[in-house]
Amino acid sequence: MFKGLIKNIFFDFDGVIAESVSAKTDAFKEMYMPYGKEIAAKVSEYHKRHGGVSRFEKFKYFHKELLNEEINQDKIDELAIQFSNLVLDKVINSQEVLGANYFIKEYHTKFKFWIITGTPTSEMEIIAEKIGISNYFLGIHG
């Protein structure tokens, strides 16, 4: 097919391999609901518009721009753990993007596959292992 032209294929995860964007949207919304429905809605919309931005940067933005708070790295790390706990099972149980698993399984010997994503590496490795795709990728990087 494209063997001579393409040697490596880099995949994002959310929306490319799995329909997991809504799982993360739901988790962000749940985390910020204690600040009110309006804040939770703004958080959801920002996440949808900025899907490739890391959760760490999103937490900084949410607190500074929406809550008028400066947060330190300890608070960001605490929020990241809370988010990870909420989202991990939701992402693992997300539907695949139609045809993604077929393509990965069919062509992993013809191309070098990599996952490059905004999800932290350790979390992405767990997800890939749980859904049975980790062996198809040379590297998984968050």
Side-chain angles (χ1 to χ4, degrees):
M1 189 167 150
F2 299 104
K3 182 65 175 148
L5 301 174
I6 300 171
K7 294 181 178 29
N8 293 279
I9 299 178
F10 298 87
F11 294 83
D12 190 3
F13 185 78
D14 299 314
V16 175
I17 295 174
E19 298 288 2
S20 50
V21 173
S22 64
K24 293 181 177 183
T25 303
D26 293 345
F28 276 121
K29 189 173 182 178
E30 186 176 331
M31 286 179 67
Y32 285 88
M33 192 57 82
Y35 296 100
K37 289 180 181 178
E38 185 178 329
I39 294 293
K42 288 179 180 180
V43 163
S44 294
E45 284 307 309
Y46 184 87
H47 169 67
K48 289 176 192 175
R49 287 192 317 272
H50 299 90
V53 175
S54 84
R55 65 189 66 174
F56 302 97
E57 293 304 314
K58 288 177 184 174
F59 292 134
K60 289 179 198 175
Y61 176 85
F62 297 153
H63 282 262
K64 183 176 182 185
E65 300 299 326
L66 301 179
L67 303 175
N68 208 19
E69 298 176 1
E70 294 290 333
I71 58 173
N72 62 27
Q73 192 60 47
D74 288 341
K75 179 65 175 176
I76 293 168
D77 292 343
E78 177 185 316
L79 291 168
I81 290 167
Q82 181 183 354
F83 181 82
S84 182
N85 290 337
L86 285 172
V87 83
L88 198 58
D89 283 337
K90 291 178 185 185
V91 172
I92 289 167
N93 293 309
S94 295
Q95 298 272 327
E96 76 161 292
V97 169
L98 188 61
N101 287 340
Y102 169 80
F103 183 85
I104 291 165
K105 291 174 182 173
E106 184 71 20
Y107 293 103
H108 76 279
T109 60
K110 296 171 180 58
F111 305 103
K112 296 175 183 174
F113 286 167
W114 308 82
I115 293 177
I116 308 293
T117 183
T119 302
T121 300
S122 59
E123 190 174 305
M124 193 63 245
E125 288 171 341
I126 292 167
I127 293 165
E129 183 68 32
K130 293 278 189 185
I131 65 172
I133 64 168
S134 59
N135 291 335
Y136 300 112
F137 293 89
L138 292 177
I140 297 172
H141 305 280

